[in-house]
Amino acid sequence: MSRAVRILLTQRIALLAVLIVAVVVTFFINDMGGYLTAPYDFDYMSAALITAVPLAMLGLAEMLVILSGRGGIDLSVGAIVSLAGMVFGFAYGEWGWPLWLAILATAGFGALLGAVNGFLVSYIGFPALIATLATFYAYKSLAIVINDQQPISTEPIQELFSISKSVELPLFGQYVPDVPLGIFTFLLPTVVAVWVLLARTAYGRRLYAIGTNDVAARWAGLPVKDTRFKAYVYAGLISGLVAVVTVGQFASARPDAGVSGNGMALPAITIAVLGGVAITGGIGRVAGVVLATLLIVWLNAGILLAFVGNEGSQYQLLALGAVLVFAALLNGLTNRKYGGSAS
């Protein structure tokens, strides 16, 4: 028993897998008991994955900057999504650029916005919280004024909704629910790219090293500033790709796409922390972020069905806060009991 508890406390992947099963089984039981307002089944779970695409991608973006240490965090990712989305709306929806070129330009623009964050944090020495909060306001304002507060909903943009449709999987698709296309076109390539970057490149090893102890890394001759700077650039690039995803989902380039309501940054940070990324830096795994996203998405999907009307959305915020507190307490308990964060 104690061995199982130790595994759950120290192996975040195992804990998240158990929590996902517990959440799904709980809502399945409530569905069979007639306590939900609509069926909670595999079709519903698959349809809910459309929200997992931007959340998981931004969770990975936050993971990169948090790994860099020194209080690394990016509060501006939602604002980057909004501003880059407007740029994509102009390029593809009004200027008639080819889709592939518009996507590349939007990703590059997102990387440029991330580079501003990286320069302020790495080379100027601003605290990441202050620097990215400042750019959050700046990018959010630019997204609003760039088109006089109006969204871009031209015909090419509206037709882009097709990238958000669900598709049947080849070979065995008739036996399983259709899966949102964005999982394959945006999320999986991003997951693979970030995993390769962190696990199979010298840059990834440097990022973990400076996040663990940037003073020792500096004495070891590692380019600390450059490594941290690039983490913010990569986070901005991913945010630019998320902008394309959100434009497709809304069939409109909206100036508030990434900042409306509670914005996209706070859920992304929650997912990263829940996924086992140590807020102090240097610890985190891609698989943890992906599983944390599934947990949040399927938990939120069930909460919506557990309440009538709009009450469910409010309880989603409560659940998100509770999950964040749980993750923080778990990290603290693991540090005290076993001398390391769950990973």
Side-chain angles (χ1 to χ4, degrees):
M1 182 64 180
S2 60
R3 177 179 174 82
V5 171
R6 181 186 178 95
I7 290 175
L8 289 178
L9 287 177
T10 58
Q11 300 297 321
R12 186 59 59 91
I13 304 299
L15 176 64
L16 288 170
V18 170
L19 289 176
I20 290 172
V21 171
V23 165
V24 171
V25 169
T26 298
F27 284 118
F28 267 50
I29 292 174
N30 278 274
D31 181 28
M32 289 187 292
Y35 298 111
L36 302 181
T37 58
Y40 188 95
D41 52 22
F42 291 114
D43 287 326
Y44 180 68
M45 291 171 61
S46 180
L49 289 178
I50 192 171
T51 63
V53 177
L55 280 179
M57 291 175 68
L58 289 182
L60 293 171
E62 291 292 350
M63 175 185 177
L64 290 171
V65 298
I66 295 174
L67 282 177
S68 68
R70 285 292 174 118
I73 202 165
D74 192 345
L75 298 179
S76 71
V77 290
I80 293 177
V81 170
S82 294
L83 183 53
M86 294 302 293
V87 169
F88 179 76
F90 281 117
Y92 183 65
E94 295 195 352
W95 299 339
W97 290 17
L99 179 58
W100 65 270
L101 182 58
I103 292 176
L104 288 179
T106 304
F109 184 72
L112 178 63
L113 298 179
V116 174
N117 292 333
F119 179 76
L120 293 174
V121 173
S122 301
Y123 292 102
I124 302 300
F126 282 10
L129 182 68
I130 302 302
T132 59
L133 183 61
T135 55
F136 164 80
Y137 289 125
Y139 298 159
K140 177 182 177 181
S141 177
L142 288 172
I144 292 174
V145 303
I146 196 172
N147 197 43
D148 296 327
Q149 305 183 39
Q150 299 300 313
I152 300 174
S153 302
T154 58
E155 185 175 345
I157 294 294
Q158 293 177 8
E159 293 175 351
L160 202 62
F161 185 73
S162 60
I163 69 172
S164 300
K165 67 181 180 180
S166 293
V167 295
E168 183 178 289
L169 296 177
L171 300 180
F172 54 90
Q174 57 182 322
Y175 306 108
V176 298
D178 292 349
V179 178
L181 182 61
I183 296 287
F184 304 102
T185 55
F186 286 94
L187 179 55
L188 285 181
T190 302
V191 168
V192 172
V194 173
W195 179 82
V196 170
L197 180 71
L198 294 177
R200 292 292 184 268
T201 68
Y203 173 81
R205 292 190 289 272
R206 290 198 301 269
L207 186 62
Y208 280 108
I210 71 167
T212 303
N213 190 328
D214 62 352
V215 175
R218 187 176 295 109
W219 280 102
L222 297 181
V224 174
K225 291 182 179 180
D226 179 69
T227 302
R228 185 169 287 136
F229 170 79
K230 288 179 179 177
Y232 286 88
V233 173
Y234 292 142
L237 187 150
I238 294 173
S239 300
L241 292 175
V242 173
V244 178
V245 173
T246 57
V247 169
Q249 289 181 350
F250 294 138
S252 172
R254 290 171 36 185
D256 64 342
V259 298
S260 61
N262 294 285
M264 289 183 168
L266 295 183
I269 294 169
T270 302
I271 285 171
V273 174
L274 178 62
V277 181
I279 201 67
T280 53
I283 297 174
R285 296 172 62 184
V286 171
V289 173
V290 174
L291 289 179
T293 304
L294 293 178
L295 175 61
I296 293 296
V297 166
W298 285 336
L299 176 62
N300 283 343
I303 290 174
L304 280 180
L305 300 184
F307 299 93
V308 179
N310 295 325
E311 289 185 26
S313 60
Q314 301 304 315
Y315 284 100
Q316 283 180 334
L317 298 178
L318 175 62
L320 194 63
V323 164
L324 183 57
V325 171
F326 167 76
L329 290 175
L330 182 64
N331 285 345
L333 175 62
T334 305
N335 278 326
R336 290 194 301 271
K337 192 171 180 66
Y338 300 108
S341 296
S343 62

